[in-house]
Amino acid sequence: MKAAVVTSFTEPLTVEERAVPDPGPGQVLVRIEASGLCHTDIHAAHGDWPVKPTPPFVPGHEGVGIVEAVGDGVRHRAVGDRVALPWLGHACGHCDHCVSGWETLCEEQQNTGYSIDGSFAEYAVADADYAVPVPDGVSPRDAAPLTCAGVTTYKAVKVAGVRPAERVAIFGVGGLGHLALQYARLVGGTVIAVDVEDAKLEMATDLGADHVVNARTEDPVAAIEALGGADVAVVLAVIPQVFEQALASLRRGGRLVCVGLPPETEGPMALPIFPTVLKGISVIGSIVGTRQDLAEVFELHARGRTRVVAETRRLDDVNAAIDDVLQARTTARIVFEP
Ligand code: ZN
Ligand code: ZN
């Protein structure tokens, strides 16, 4: 099978032939139909974060495909099922996080495309318990971005506890942000989309954003204050300064939801104590979502409540696609179709 492999943090990926893996006990073998390119894959390939994957490895944690074989003991997935292989590739299932519905915080988790080979390949094996069924009515091309970008922003809106008529500022309107703004609107929020690219802001308007702010040409804090301030700010950008702007744009009682993960070299964000205390600000970190969250994301999409903006590429063009993301030459998600 063909696979895109990270051999070193300083070299481009190599597209090479590998043996199709065998599913072990409790695993499924999935023939990949579509796999989205997430910024996390680029950080993984570059070894940007404190906990690094070990080359050689296959990135990709937005894989969607058809179960072709099942390992021993797998009873709830069958050959022919369409499944998604998300970032949370395995969790222990027994710790207090796992049993309380916070499997995404499990200390023993394994991550697809990071600690276990991912979906930038024609086939992948996965823990059957963490492969999430994709319902009829959701195409593989749409399901792929929903598997990380969708579930991550859906969870961010959930943990923010957005109430109808609250103002929600979304900082960064790309693969994640175009979905975040739709979830914020679904729960009744008024959406302010913030980005530095006019094309992305046009897409945000097209998808229902109530206000847009180009942070390159105007001060986003002043622009959001002029609208009354944000009740919730969701930060999907990967620059600490943007987190600081988002924090400053909050009104009293506001919640800052941190989602984007800057490279380690970017340093920390400043959290000024006085305004945080006096304004009663909450700062919340949110990482991906659970299998149940992803099932809900798929359900909403199957009912026609969300729109995925994506363009398809060949897996052979993986390095060009990464360049396009880094140079902001794409408006939304890139999806590989092997
Ligand atoms: Zn991701
Ligand atoms: Zn656990």
Side-chain angles (χ1 to χ4, degrees):
M1 68 167 190
K2 188 184 287 184
V5 181
V6 175
T7 55
S8 142
F9 295 136
T10 53
E11 298 291 324
L13 277 70
T14 58
V15 177
E16 55 189 60
E17 274 300 315
R18 283 191 159 192
V20 175
D22 281 326
Q27 291 183 324
V28 287
L29 172 68
V30 178
R31 176 174 53 80
I32 301 295
E33 299 172 291
S35 183
L37 172 59
C38 180
H39 220 120
T40 293
D41 297 311
I42 303 175
H43 291 305
H46 293 168
D48 278 337
W49 289 340
V51 180
K52 298 181 198 314
T54 310
F57 67 94
V58 179
H61 58 274
E62 286 188 346
V64 172
I66 302 293
V67 174
E68 294 254 310
V70 299
D72 287 346
V74 175
R75 276 181 291 277
H76 59 290
R77 296 284 165 262
V79 170
D81 288 356
R82 177 170 287 133
V83 293
L85 309 181
W87 173 250
L88 188 71
H90 171 80
C92 81
H94 307 289
C95 69
D96 60 333
H97 303 300
C98 280
V99 299
S100 63
W102 282 98
E103 64 206 30
T104 49
L105 302 182
C106 178
E107 303 226 31
E108 290 180 34
Q109 68 182 272
Q110 298 286 328
N111 298 118
T112 309
Y114 212 83
S115 57
I116 48 181
D117 279 338
S119 51
F120 286 2
E122 290 176 305
Y123 292 88
V125 289
D127 184 332
D129 285 340
Y130 290 84
V132 176
V134 179
D136 292 341
V138 180
S139 70
R141 182 189 154 283
D142 282 2
L146 294 173
T147 298
C148 180
V151 75
T152 297
T153 52
Y154 178 70
K155 188 67 163 187
V157 168
K158 252 191 179 180
V159 298
V162 177
R163 294 182 291 271
E166 284 195 318
R167 278 185 293 274
V168 182
I170 308 290
F171 285 77
V173 183
L176 275 79
H178 89 280
L179 289 159
L181 74 89
Q182 296 180 64
Y183 296 126
R185 278 182 54 86
L186 275 174
V187 293
T190 296
V191 169
I192 308 162
V194 183
D195 205 282
V196 293
E197 305 284 342
D198 282 329
K200 291 184 177 180
L201 294 172
E202 276 167 33
M203 172 177 69
T205 301
D206 192 39
L207 292 169
D210 301 276
H211 307 277
V212 295
V213 176
N214 187 326
R216 202 194 296 278
T217 55
E218 59 182 322
D219 173 14
V221 178
I224 293 169
E225 271 174 355
L227 295 167
D231 297 287
V232 168
V234 179
V235 189
L236 308 168
V238 293
I239 304 166
Q241 188 201 357
V242 178
F243 288 75
E244 291 163 10
Q245 289 173 335
L247 180 75
S249 74
L250 291 172
R251 64 194 291 265
R252 292 185 168 222
R255 288 90 77 199
L256 176 71
V257 186
C258 304
V259 178
L261 289 169
E264 204 179 4
T265 49
E266 286 277 358
M269 68 176 280
L271 182 63
I273 296 166
F274 264 80
T276 303
V277 173
L278 297 184
K279 291 166 79 179
I281 299 296
S282 304
V283 178
I284 305 165
S286 187
I287 173 83
V288 295
T290 63
R291 292 166 287 182
Q292 178 58 30
D293 294 320
L294 183 51
E296 292 168 15
V297 160
F298 286 151
E299 174 66 24
L300 286 169
H301 196 70
R303 281 195 247 150
R305 306 288 289 277
T306 50
R307 238 171 81 199
V308 172
V309 182
E311 52 183 274
T312 51
R313 301 281 182 93
R314 289 163 1 116
L315 190 58
D316 293 298
D317 300 329
V318 61
N319 291 307
I322 287 174
D323 279 349
D324 285 350
V325 171
L326 291 175
Q327 303 302 324
R329 285 192 293 254
T330 57
T331 42
R333 214 54 157 182
I334 288 176
V335 174
F336 298 115
E337 290 179 331

